[in-house]
Amino acid sequence: MLPWGRALRAAGLLGSAGAAAQRGAARGERCGPGQRRGAALPAGPDLRHFLRGAAKGEPPPEPSPAPGAGRVYLETYGCQMNVNDTEIAWAILQKNGYTRTKRVDEADVILLVTCSIREKAEQAIWNRLRHLRALKARRQQRAASHLRIGILGCMAERLKEEILHREKLVDIVAGPDAYRDLPRLLAVAESGQQAANVLLSLDETYADILPVQTSAGGTTAFVSIMRGCDNMCSYCIVPFTRGRERSRPIASILQEVRMLSDQGVKEVTLLGQNVNSFRDMSEVQFQSAAAPGLSRGFSTVYRAKPGGLRFAHLLDQVSRIDPEMRIRFTSPHPKDFPDEVLQLIQERHNICKQLHLPAQSGSTRVLEAMRRGYTREAYLELVHHVRDSIPGVSLSSDFIAGFCGETEEDHQQTVSLLQEVRYNVGFLFAYSMRQKTRAFHRLQDDVPAEVKQRRLQELITVFREEAARANEAMVGQCQLVLVEGPSKRSALELCGRNDGNIKVIFPDAEVEDAAGCQAPARAQPGDYVLVKVTSASSQTLRGVPLRRTTLSRSAACP
């Protein structure tokens, strides 16, 4: 590389990802046809300044906002990982002098944290950007007020060029591994130029950043433990928008969970694209440990990865921090459920007896085309093993209707799987082909849209019928409910969730304390309330409150 090229790379002007930007180990972006390298970030000092600095070994100055840099409005779309990404992005911006606003009309910066999992999710973002066009036009009429709009997350990673050039509405684009670069990108955009960083990292986990919790009430929180995915299912865009799997050091996760416990958070959900494949390689003494076995009858497209502290160890350590804090995790892959994880869930009273087992299809032929690594029979064997290991476990799942080549017979096998397993919670969608995926390159999206929708509605109908039956079995039982707040439909009722993550509605009335140490009082967000279930639907339980209690006391007196 020529000396000036090395200087620019050292200066970080050719793009960087995550912590690599701070270490100066930046890598160049891939440019489109006819695009000059680095043209998207024409920021700051001129070339001679960086050549002088590089020659002297000086760290390159980066444009950075001063305290009071502006007001930021954040909007989140998609999964829980995006909620956590929003909290990480806000933590970085807050440290760099930005303030937060809940009113879009008074913001200096509007950032949309986006999803690319389906076409419908992306279309929602394009529609939102069109709504923001008028606001930006009004701001441009004020010479001293420049509104900057940014796209963050998976859609930024997938569609950088289109986002930057379509209607010239967006000022910055930052992929999931580039949030550390946000202050610099915004400083570039302040001059009226577009800026982008969508490089994926092999090691960025934001382990040293404690997210600023944005959930209302502070009762629940999400904690990201790993990023990326190596499974390469043929329909899935995640490996291409979030990169390869990498896990946070356990020490940083435990620090964050302890902080949340100190803040009074009562439920933590451990997050990852493939959360139960967690593998912390930061501890040298564990780098030669054997890889745990897969669920029986399951396989992967990659070789077993030896070494590291695994999910069972993390789950054990997290559950010990606070006996009054519920622990959940999502989203797992069915292949990664060794017996030690199931046994731990069964033994610990604060690890929720609720598992997400994404099936995607009930047809072995379709599962093979999806590259899921299991057959229908292996999946059902796992379900039976889980229910034997964790009595009363609540199950949820994901299903895709109308995948490439799916026949009516394949569809009916999915219907029968829903009937046989009887999930409590389900997430069902029509197939949406994504560019870059194996299905896009190797398969035909040959199921007509109207057939996809018809099959989807049939799956939804069957799921609701079976979920209603599963939930009706709880009528007459007592459920421990973590109160989240008032019901959305009535100020006279409270809403919370039971151990199985099912919504429970009950009257906002005074209830006694189980220990008898306090006077009767209304339950507050963060309280545990024992509720007797009186009715059930496919999505909700209703009941009457019996008493306020604690997680530990409820476990001791079932």
Side-chain angles (χ1 to χ4, degrees):
M1 179 182 292
L2 294 175
W4 62 267
R6 286 195 293 271
L8 282 177
R9 192 174 295 279
L13 289 183
L14 295 186
S16 62
Q22 297 183 339
R23 294 192 299 267
R27 296 167 290 178
E29 282 191 343
R30 187 175 299 169
C31 300
Q35 180 184 355
R36 291 187 297 108
R37 185 175 292 276
L41 300 175
D46 62 23
L47 176 62
R48 289 172 297 177
H49 180 99
F50 285 104
L51 287 174
R52 287 199 302 271
K56 296 176 183 178
E58 300 172 0
E62 292 188 358
S64 59
R71 291 165 294 189
V72 179
Y73 177 83
L74 288 153
E75 256 181 32
T76 308
Y77 297 79
C79 67
Q80 296 99 325
M81 284 296 295
N82 282 359
V83 175
N84 186 255
D85 277 10
T86 300
E87 295 170 349
I88 290 171
W90 170 229
I92 292 168
L93 292 172
Q94 186 181 53
K95 188 177 180 180
N96 281 268
Y98 286 88
T99 57
R100 183 84 178 267
T101 178
K102 294 183 178 181
R103 292 183 55 184
V104 68
D105 59 332
E106 65 179 23
D108 302 300
V109 177
I110 298 174
L111 300 177
L112 309 183
V113 184
T114 63
C115 175
S116 257
I117 197 72
R118 281 172 291 277
E119 184 179 354
K120 185 177 180 181
E122 291 183 353
Q123 191 56 50
I125 303 300
W126 290 119
N127 293 340
R128 180 58 170 152
L129 287 175
R130 281 193 285 271
H131 291 153
L132 294 174
R133 182 194 294 123
L135 178 60
K136 189 169 187 178
R138 289 196 300 271
R139 290 291 186 86
Q140 288 174 341
Q141 294 173 2
R142 310 175 201 166
S145 179
H146 175 59
L147 175 63
R148 290 161 288 170
I149 296 177
I151 295 292
L152 313 185
C154 294
M155 188 171 168
E157 188 69 41
R158 198 180 87 80
L159 295 172
K160 181 197 74 172
E161 298 296 333
E162 185 177 353
I163 290 170
L164 285 174
H165 298 120
R166 185 166 165 177
E167 304 179 36
K168 302 290 184 180
L169 179 62
V170 173
D171 301 288
I172 75 162
V173 174
D177 292 346
Y179 300 145
R180 293 181 193 269
D181 208 20
L182 280 173
R184 184 180 70 87
L185 297 176
L186 287 168
V188 172
E190 179 66 22
S191 66
Q193 302 179 72
Q194 291 179 311
N197 183 345
V198 294
L199 293 180
L200 291 173
S201 168
L202 291 175
D203 56 11
E204 179 61 273
T205 63
Y206 301 106
D208 60 321
I209 295 175
L210 292 177
V212 178
Q213 298 297 323
T214 58
S215 57
T219 298
T220 63
F222 298 117
V223 174
S224 175
I225 68 168
M226 55 89 69
R227 299 175 75 85
C229 184
D230 289 347
N231 289 324
M232 301 300 291
C233 300
S234 63
Y235 56 84
C236 187
I237 192 66
V238 166
F240 305 97
T241 59
R242 288 190 172 266
R244 302 293 297 272
E245 286 181 11
R246 63 269 188 205
S247 300
R248 279 177 67 180
I250 283 182
S252 75
I253 298 169
L254 298 181
Q255 178 190 6
E256 184 175 345
V257 175
R258 289 190 191 101
M259 179 193 73
L260 294 170
S261 174
D262 292 341
Q263 293 174 357
V265 169
K266 292 297 183 69
E267 181 178 291
V268 161
T269 301
L270 306 178
L271 290 180
Q273 267 79 29
N274 191 23
V275 67
N276 52 343
S277 68
F278 177 85
R279 175 171 165 259
D280 172 16
M281 295 291 288
S282 65
E283 300 286 343
V284 176
Q285 64 269 34
F286 297 106
Q287 289 184 359
S288 60
L294 299 177
S295 304
R296 191 161 71 176
F298 287 68
S299 63
T300 66
V301 297
Y302 54 83
R303 294 179 181 176
K305 303 173 187 176
L309 292 170
R310 299 293 178 148
F311 185 65
H313 181 83
L314 172 65
L315 196 59
D316 171 55
Q317 294 298 304
V318 169
S319 68
R320 292 176 184 273
I321 290 175
D322 184 349
E324 291 302 311
M325 176 186 281
R326 275 180 173 171
I327 307 299
R328 301 186 190 275
F329 57 89
T330 198
S331 177
H333 190 287
K335 72 180 187 329
D336 293 310
F337 275 110
D339 284 347
E340 55 262 39
V341 170
L342 300 179
Q343 182 178 354
L344 191 63
I345 295 170
Q346 194 277 328
E347 291 177 352
R348 296 289 163 84
H349 75 274
N350 62 336
I351 302 179
C352 292
K353 298 349 180 232
Q354 173 251 327
L355 290 183
H356 188 60
L357 295 179
Q360 308 300 353
S361 175
S363 163
T364 295
R365 193 186 68 82
V366 172
L367 290 170
E368 183 177 359
M370 290 178 166
R371 301 181 89 195
R372 290 291 289 170
Y374 53 85
T375 63
R376 174 192 174 98
E377 291 73 25
Y379 180 86
L380 282 171
E381 183 177 347
L382 175 63
V383 169
H384 295 147
H385 181 53
V386 165
R387 283 181 164 155
D388 289 341
S389 303
I390 311 172
V393 67
S394 172
L395 297 182
S396 59
S397 192
D398 300 334
F399 287 93
I400 296 173
F403 184 66
C404 305
E406 183 187 74
T407 64
E408 282 298 321
E409 182 181 355
D410 295 325
H411 169 63
Q412 290 304 319
Q413 289 182 36
T414 302
V415 170
S416 68
L417 185 69
L418 283 165
Q419 294 169 330
E420 183 168 350
V421 177
R422 188 170 287 179
Y423 301 95
N424 298 90
V425 179
F427 305 93
L428 301 92
F429 304 95
Y431 175 61
S432 175
M433 181 169 274
R434 305 279 77 196
Q435 291 182 1
K436 297 185 180 181
T437 63
R438 182 181 178 89
F440 179 81
H441 292 290
R442 303 285 185 90
L443 304 176
Q444 293 292 321
D445 187 11
D446 53 1
V447 180
E450 61 274 15
V451 175
K452 290 180 183 177
Q453 289 302 317
R454 190 254 303 165
R455 291 177 182 173
L456 175 61
Q457 291 306 313
E458 290 177 2
L459 293 182
I460 291 173
T461 298
V462 172
F463 159 72
R464 287 179 175 170
E465 291 172 351
E466 298 302 328
R469 293 188 179 98
N471 292 344
E472 284 166 4
M474 300 183 208
V475 173
Q477 296 181 1
C478 292
Q479 296 288 316
L480 184 65
V481 178
L482 176 60
V483 179
E484 296 177 349
S487 169
K488 292 181 179 180
R489 295 189 177 184
S490 172
L492 301 177
E493 295 179 316
L494 293 175
C495 176
R497 291 184 181 272
N498 70 353
D499 188 81
N501 208 27
I502 300 169
K503 184 184 297 185
V504 183
I505 307 292
F506 58 94
D508 182 7
E510 289 189 347
V511 287
E512 294 182 352
D513 176 61
C517 301
Q518 301 178 22
R522 284 187 167 88
Q524 301 298 316
D527 286 347
Y528 289 105
V529 176
L530 199 63
V531 176
K532 185 172 183 178
V533 179
T534 56
S535 65
S537 68
S538 63
Q539 296 178 300
T540 306
L541 302 175
R542 285 186 169 274
V544 293
L546 300 180
R547 57 185 177 272
R548 289 174 290 125
T549 184
T550 66
L551 195 56
S552 301
R553 187 179 295 121
S554 176
C557 302

